[in-house]
Structure formats: C-alpha cells, structure tokens
Amino acid sequence: MRVALYQRSPVLGESDFLQSYVASQPDWRIALRSSDDGSGATLKRPGLQRVLAAARSGDIDVLVVKHMYNLSRTTRHLADLLDELTSLGVRVVSAADPGLDTGSPFGLFLVRVVSAVAEIEYAGALADRRDRLRHKQESADESPLAG
C-alpha cells in the first residue's frame, strides 16, 4: 500500500508519530509526505493539493493524518474531500483515532459524525467569543469614565 502522510500546522513529534503508525501496518510504505501551515478553513493549501494530485493520478492508496480535522475544519469541505478521495479508491485513516477510517462504511460514518460535532463546537466557540467581545464593548460604553 502506497501511503501519503499529510500534516496541517505540524507539531513537534507528529511526523515521527505518523511514520511509526505506518511502520506498524503490514505492507504499507510512505510514497508521499506533505504538509501545510495554512488555515483548515480553506482547501487552497499547496500540501493538500499535492495529496489530491497524487490521489487523482493513482499514486497513493491510503492517506494518513493524525486527526481528521487536519484535512478541514468545516464539515462540508471534509465531506467533499472524503467523497473525492474514496471515489478515487484512497482510504483515509486517522493515526490518533484508528476508528476513524474510511476503509469501512461504519468508519466513514464515524468520520462524518465526528466532523459535524467538531464544527458545531467550533461555531459555538466563535459565538461565545463574539458575545464576550460585545459584552466588553457594551460595558466600556456604559462606564462613567467613557468619553
């Protein structure tokens, strides 16, 4: 099995972790290493595009990421990526969460559920941040020291 490793905003030790995961799988060999430092909110990342090009040309069989959210922070983008990769015969595996593996229908279902929950949590965190900023601004406006 020809494997691509993909990292978005790699952290210390992540590359070794992914390589160890691949080494633990019989008959897997690393064919491509790719990484980005860009936002997970967009698919326009050079490293991700290299992985997609390799998938489209039939050069990889498996894509290994540490976490599925390394592919995308939005459910729609992740679903689009998974649809394209699986239609090209590329299995997507999370090394940190081995149950998240598109090699089975149940694994693909789990990936989509987890990504949807993650997006809901992210949206909630953004709403909380906006509420705190709005409250801070309103409090400043009501201050007797305000201009």
Side-chain angles (χ1 to χ4, degrees):
M1 292 290 215
R2 299 161 300 162
V3 177
L5 302 181
Y6 178 72
Q7 299 171 266
R8 187 183 56 76
S9 301
V11 296
L12 186 63
E14 184 176 350
S15 183
D16 293 338
F17 176 75
L18 293 177
Q19 289 177 56
S20 294
Y21 179 80
V22 171
S24 74
Q25 305 302 311
D27 301 321
W28 284 21
R29 66 175 177 78
I30 298 171
L32 174 68
R33 289 177 170 81
S34 192
S35 65
D36 285 305
D37 285 320
S39 169
T42 179
L43 298 179
K44 295 180 181 177
R45 291 175 266 146
L48 181 59
Q49 292 305 313
R50 277 192 295 282
V51 169
L52 290 172
R56 290 173 186 138
S57 65
D59 294 336
I60 60 172
D61 303 300
V62 179
L63 171 59
V64 176
V65 295
K66 185 171 183 184
H67 299 285
M68 288 294 172
Y69 63 75
N70 292 131
L71 290 173
S72 179
R73 291 280 186 185
T74 68
T75 303
R76 178 76 254 151
H77 287 165
L78 183 59
D80 290 345
L81 284 169
L82 294 176
D83 286 346
E84 179 169 358
L85 290 166
T86 56
S87 73
L88 294 167
V90 175
R91 177 178 163 195
V92 183
V93 179
S94 167
D97 307 302
L100 301 180
D101 179 343
T102 65
S104 72
F106 184 70
L108 183 57
F109 169 75
L110 282 179
V111 168
R112 292 188 179 194
V113 168
V114 168
S115 70
V117 169
E119 186 171 350
I120 290 167
E121 289 177 349
Y122 179 70
L126 287 177
D128 289 347
R129 190 176 309 141
R130 282 190 302 269
D131 289 346
R132 282 192 307 272
L133 289 172
R134 186 175 26 249
H135 177 71
K136 187 176 181 179
Q137 181 61 43
E138 289 169 358
S139 296
D141 292 344
E142 294 171 4
S143 169
L145 300 176

